[in-house]
Amino acid sequence: MQKLLAEFLGTFVLVLGGCGSAVLAAAWPELGIGFTGVALAFGLSVLTMAYAVGHISGGHFNPAVTLGLWAGGRFGLTQVLPYIVAQVLGALAAGGVLYLIASGEASFDIDINGFAANGYGEHSPGGYSLLACLLAEGVLTAIFLVVIMGATDKEASAGFAPVAIGLALTLIHLISIPVTNTSVNPARSTGVALYQGGWALEQLWLFWLIPLAGGVAGGLLYRFLLQKKA
């Protein structure tokens, strides 16, 4: 239960910090933090919570990471589903808190600002096609898993994994916010899509299927091609 609570809390902070920065601060008149600020918010959320509770649960905070670590031989199959459930619940709780905060602003309109939901085609921030969004999510999630597995390898420098992982997530957001609003995390996508409703729920399938596939690909790539053999 401690592990599941840690995953719930870590995912809660990730969604509240990352999506909260996008909804509340990205376009604030004159002082908005923009894409760079949102990217940093996601990276810092993962970095800080990895240090805070990573020693308890491993600091996944992402179903694609959990499944990818299983594919990479770093995580037991029996723990995969409980971790994913805890992560999704944490994301939904954060989405609810964020909705309550955002709706306290008089001009807030969830249909206009999209509530930081992920999308493709007409709902991509830059109008990117389904194929472009699919490739971005799949490739970047695979890269994220390679970074995670490499940074947490027994051969890696101890204590620096959260920094590498947080910076990798920042880089991923800098690349793909204009493409899909950046998911690489099905829980993060679900946590805001449920409240946005409509198109966000209709397009949510991509932000489950492709990050999970990318996570597995990244885990297998590191396990069989990059990891040192005993």
Side-chain angles (χ1 to χ4, degrees):
M1 286 304 298
Q2 283 186 324
K3 291 181 179 181
L4 298 181
L5 180 58
E7 285 298 304
F8 175 96
L9 181 60
T11 312
F12 178 93
V13 173
L14 169 64
V15 173
L16 187 62
C19 295
S21 70
V23 172
L24 303 174
W28 186 258
E30 298 182 9
L31 298 177
I33 61 174
F35 284 175
T36 303
V38 173
L40 283 169
F42 273 100
L44 290 171
S45 297
V46 166
L47 188 157
T48 53
M49 292 312 294
Y51 276 122
V53 300
H55 61 285
I56 300 172
S57 67
H60 299 188
F61 317 144
N62 181 342
V65 171
T66 297
L67 197 63
L69 289 175
W70 165 75
R74 301 277 187 87
F75 196 66
L77 180 60
T78 58
Q79 300 178 79
V80 169
L81 184 58
Y83 263 53
I84 291 176
V85 170
Q87 292 156 2
V88 171
L89 290 176
L92 290 172
V97 170
L98 179 57
Y99 179 80
L100 290 174
I101 295 172
S103 60
E105 202 272 317
S107 63
F108 174 72
D109 188 329
I110 199 167
D111 293 321
I112 292 176
N113 70 17
F115 203 52
N118 303 113
Y120 56 83
E122 65 177 311
H123 298 295
S124 157
Y128 285 82
S129 68
L130 171 60
L131 178 59
C133 294
L134 185 153
L135 285 171
E137 289 291 324
V139 170
L140 292 174
T141 308
I143 291 171
F144 193 39
L145 260 294
V146 170
V147 171
I148 291 170
M149 292 196 65
T152 57
D153 195 296
K154 61 183 179 181
E155 301 287 339
S157 300
F160 290 98
V163 176
I165 294 166
L167 289 175
L169 189 60
T170 300
L171 175 61
I172 286 168
H173 278 78
L174 289 173
I175 295 168
S176 60
I177 286 177
V179 183
T180 62
N181 229 6
T182 310
S183 172
V184 301
N185 184 338
R188 168 263 188 269
S189 298
T190 304
V192 291
L194 183 68
Y195 299 94
Q196 200 286 328
W199 66 263
L201 286 176
E202 292 172 3
Q203 297 193 349
L204 185 60
W205 65 270
L206 183 142
F207 303 104
W208 272 90
L209 178 62
I210 303 307
L212 290 178
V216 169
L220 292 174
L221 173 63
Y222 192 89
R223 180 179 185 178
F224 293 110
L225 296 180
L226 297 173
Q227 189 167 261
K228 285 186 177 180
K229 304 303 179 184

